[in-house]
Amino acid sequence: MAKSVKASHILVSSEKDANNLIARLNKGENFADLAKRFSKCPSGKKGGDLGWFRPGDMVPEFDQAAFSAEKGVVVGPVKTNFGYHLILVTDQK
């Protein structure tokens, strides 16, 4: 398992919204552009970039998804107490 990951995410209110964004990503739309337009997290302004984090830095559901994801593959929707996340791991170490 990676000791830390660098990831971006898109946070939305509903699973339906998350699934609609997955469909758009599957059609080739850019993750960062969608994050800027739709994410309810302040990180959306930076294309969803959360920077580097270690296990335990995020809520457990987010952590589990981010640390089990393959680099470059969008995972989700991941439900947390904040809403529904689409997570893109951009680097691991």
Side-chain angles (χ1 to χ4, degrees), residues 1-3 6 12 16-17 23 35 37 44 46 49 52 56 58 60 64-65 67-68 72 76-77 87 91:
M1 186 162 119
K3 290 183 174 42
K6 184 177 185 194
V12 292
K16 181 182 176 195
D17 290 344
R37 285 185 58 199
K46 300 182 289 183
D49 185 10
W52 288 96
M58 303 292 180
Q64 185 178 0
F67 283 92
S68 61
I87 305 167
D91 208 352

Side-chain angles (χ1 to χ4, degrees), residues 27-28 60 74 77 82:
K27 290 179 183 165
V74 176
F82 296 102

Side-chain angles (χ1 to χ4, degrees), residues 15-64:
E15 190 170 9
K16 181 182 176 195
D17 290 344
N19 287 326
N20 287 339
L21 290 173
I22 289 171
R24 293 175 74 152
L25 289 165
N26 288 340
K27 290 179 183 165
E29 290 195 52
N30 181 275
F31 190 94
D33 291 343
L34 291 174
K36 287 175 186 170
R37 285 185 58 199
F38 297 106
S39 185
K40 299 189 180 321
C41 179
S43 69
K45 293 184 180 80
K46 300 182 289 183
D49 185 10
L50 295 169
W52 288 96
F53 55 93
R54 296 173 184 268
D57 287 349
M58 303 292 180
V59 294
E61 305 90 340
F62 192 100
D63 245 17
Q64 185 178 0

